[in-house]
Amino acid sequence: MVSVEGIDRMISEHPFFSGMEPGYQAMIAGCASNQSFEAGQYLIREGDNADHFYLIRHGAVAIEVHTQGQTSVTLETLHEGDVLGWSWLVPPYHWLFDARAIQLTRVIAIDAACLREKAEADHSLGYELYSRIMPVMSERLSAARLRLLDLYGSPRKGQ
Amino acid sequence: MKTSQDPMTPNLFQVQRIRRELADTFTLELTAESNNEFPFLPGQFNMIYLFGSGEVPISISGDPAQPNRLIHTIRAVGSVTEGLKSCKSGDMLGIRGPFGSAWPVEQATGQDIVIITGGIGLAPLRPAIYHLLANRQRYGKIVILYGARTPADILFRKELERWRSRFDISVEVTVDQAVSNWSGRVGVVPKLINRADFAPEETTALICGPEIMMRFSVKALQERGVKEDHIYVSMERNMKCAIGFCGHCQLGSQFVCKDGPVFPYSQISSAFRIREL
């Protein structure tokens, strides 16, 4: 289901774009649509073109990787207020993982080609976008590194 | 009332029940041979003596309002704890304690409370949670953030579900690894802190878990504006005598057994930054 009703307001209210200059928010709204996904429905499939990214308004999404013949592994879950996807910023613009709604999920979908074009034409907008996405990437990289430590795994032999 | 005046002399306790919690974790329910009650403060620990094997420091995980039953939740990680895992109803154990400092549940009256914990770190915090819930009206918002390795490693799962079903506290559980049939959160505990609903300037935070998790959680709390002297951590070191004589558990200028295990972060923040400790 796709709708464009109230998209400006939704963008201004989403934490990812909070505090952004209204002119930029309006430019982004021109590339945005309102979408919803039922539990189990995929927003993103590995290998597909990264032609959208998503701002989660309600619900939850699992980032998954699959191995042939085995149950998919969930790498991380994203929730209300999170942003989903950055492969749209990195050539050749293909998704690296799957993303599946684990409950009814409402998102603002942003047309990546449209926004890339606007950012190319207005580098200040591009800078604004990157300065919002980089902290998210940094936080997720840091979280992934923490999980590599297997914090709760078996400790060294104790008493 | 303590059953022995000499802190180095164990008192006899009988195993009433042993409950398997996880593959390597179990809970012992004990009663004093003397039938005396065993009052303790949330956060304190005992030295449990498995005769013929050795003694281990274990936090008390039961309800401080029920001093007639002594509850310990233990992860089997070595010879003594493996031996305790094999205990049966009726077996006798030696108990010294309770020792150490407590979670500041009285001092935190009127504050929002954020409990951040991971793995078996939930066990030393459970007495504090029981106290907070029994005195719910004395506190502001109560938030429990818990992390486990996988969904199968979630400790006290049924209790977490029960707490989560209450309308007057917020409970978030996250795991590090899961397959697609898990519909809960996957990610690290510190990430939950950013979005948790509490007033940072009026919050007391209680943290117990692996030290790296505690370090990153403290950082996330500070970024939210929680005051350093309102953040409490429970430290784990190699406690032996439990009364500050032997020095095995020394952490900088502190003895974890006597000055801790619960410390205000402001008191040990420098030790957190010394890699050799």
Side-chain angles (χ1 to χ4, degrees):
Chain A
M1 182 188 157
V2 178
S3 145
V4 290
E5 208 173 332
I7 207 82
D8 302 59
R9 182 179 50 80
M10 288 175 195
I11 283 179
S12 67
E13 286 174 356
H14 195 279
F16 185 69
F17 286 126
S18 88
M20 184 183 252
E21 199 179 295
Y24 287 147
Q25 288 180 349
M27 288 170 82
I28 292 161
C31 298
S33 61
N34 191 18
Q35 296 185 13
S36 65
F37 295 84
E38 297 293 333
Q41 209 178 338
Y42 283 85
L43 291 79
I44 286 170
R45 283 288 201 178
E46 180 187 334
D48 284 357
N49 289 331
D51 49 9
H52 284 82
F53 72 102
Y54 301 94
L55 308 177
I56 301 174
R57 294 176 47 229
H58 298 289
V61 175
I63 311 293
E64 296 178 341
V65 61
H66 73 273
T67 310
Q68 271 76 9
Q70 292 180 30
T71 311
S72 293
V73 172
T74 304
L75 302 173
E76 185 173 26
T77 54
L78 301 177
H79 303 263
E80 187 175 325
D82 284 330
V83 57
L84 165 62
W86 53 66
S87 295
W88 64 280
L89 281 168
V90 187
Y93 311 121
H94 290 150
W95 294 121
L96 300 174
F97 301 105
D98 295 337
R100 180 177 55 88
I102 49 181
Q103 51 186 258
L104 174 64
T105 299
R106 299 182 199 285
V107 299
I108 302 164
I110 298 182
D111 183 322
C114 168
L115 195 54
R116 282 197 301 260
E117 204 173 293
K118 288 184 180 179
E120 186 62 45
D122 182 343
H123 287 185
S124 297
L125 171 64
Y127 180 79
E128 184 71 32
L129 284 171
Y130 274 89
S131 48
R132 284 164 189 270
I133 283 195
M134 288 308 292
V136 176
M137 293 173 81
S138 166
E139 182 195 285
R140 294 204 191 146
L141 178 60
S142 166
R145 285 172 171 165
L146 262 184
R147 285 162 58 201
L148 279 177
L149 296 173
D150 192 16
L151 292 179
Y152 314 118
S154 291
R156 62 178 186 271
K157 203 72 177 163
Q159 293 175 303
Chain B
M1 165 178 46
K2 281 168 84 170
T3 48
S4 167
Q5 295 303 311
D6 179 358
M8 293 304 289
T9 305
N11 293 295
L12 280 176
F13 276 68
Q14 187 173 51
V15 176
Q16 297 300 322
R17 199 177 304 170
I18 179 162
R19 186 173 56 249
R20 183 181 151 153
E21 305 283 0
L22 305 171
D24 60 356
T25 305
F26 57 99
T27 293
L28 292 178
E29 183 181 326
L30 312 168
T31 53
E33 190 192 41
S34 61
N35 282 325
N36 283 349
E37 291 192 337
F38 191 88
F40 68 95
L41 298 170
Q44 289 191 300
F45 71 96
N46 283 326
M47 298 299 297
I48 304 183
Y49 188 9
L50 177 64
F51 298 115
S53 181
E55 203 179 33
V56 283
I58 305 286
S59 293
I60 303 169
S61 63
D63 186 346
Q66 295 189 23
N68 53 329
R69 295 185 316 151
L70 177 59
I71 309 285
H72 282 287
T73 300
I74 303 165
R75 188 176 193 186
V77 293
S79 57
V80 181
T81 47
E82 283 288 352
L84 288 168
K85 193 179 169 191
S86 305
C87 278
K88 292 184 178 50
S89 176
D91 286 354
M92 301 303 289
L93 297 171
I95 297 287
R96 292 194 294 123
F99 295 117
S101 57
W103 297 110
V105 288
E106 295 301 331
Q107 202 179 322
T109 300
Q111 295 254 303
D112 287 356
I113 309 288
V114 181
I115 287 172
I116 303 160
T117 175
I120 198 168
L122 181 55
L125 272 163
R126 191 168 67 163
I129 296 170
Y130 287 143
H131 177 90
L132 296 172
L133 297 183
N135 299 277
R136 181 65 191 87
Q137 72 289 353
R138 290 170 52 192
Y139 300 95
K141 290 172 180 155
I142 296 178
V143 178
I144 299 172
L145 309 176
Y146 176 65
R149 191 180 191 216
T150 71
D153 297 312
I154 294 171
L155 187 63
F156 305 143
R157 189 178 189 136
K158 286 202 168 110
E159 260 181 318
L160 282 164
E161 285 169 1
R162 199 157 57 241
W163 296 335
R164 194 176 194 167
S165 68
R166 292 175 62 130
F167 294 109
D168 58 352
I169 64 169
S170 163
V171 178
E172 292 290 348
V173 174
T174 187
V175 298
D176 277 359
Q177 303 164 27
V179 290
S180 56
N181 60 3
W182 164 252
S183 60
R185 286 179 179 268
V186 177
V188 294
V189 173
K191 197 183 164 192
L192 300 177
I193 296 168
N194 290 341
R195 302 267 170 82
D197 181 20
F198 59 88
E201 64 285 0
E202 292 164 10
T203 287
T204 294
L206 316 179
I207 317 176
C208 187
E211 278 185 32
I212 300 171
M213 185 215 88
M214 295 204 289
R215 208 165 73 214
F216 280 84
S217 296
V218 167
K219 184 168 171 283
L221 287 166
Q222 288 174 326
E223 284 168 5
R224 286 272 322 248
V226 178
K227 297 172 203 150
E228 200 170 84
D229 57 356
H230 282 196
I231 300 173
Y232 291 80
V233 295
S234 181
M235 302 299 292
E236 192 181 336
R237 284 295 182 274
N238 188 17
M239 273 106 74
K240 291 286 185 193
C241 73
I243 51 176
F245 280 170
C246 72
H248 277 90
C249 65
Q250 194 168 350
L251 179 70
S253 61
Q254 315 281 335
F255 291 102
V256 173
C257 68
K258 184 169 66 71
D259 306 314
V262 176
F263 291 94
Y265 180 72
S266 55
Q267 198 177 320
I268 54 157
S269 57
S270 57
F272 257 73
R273 290 191 286 271
I274 300 172
R275 292 166 190 230
E276 292 78 10
L277 288 177

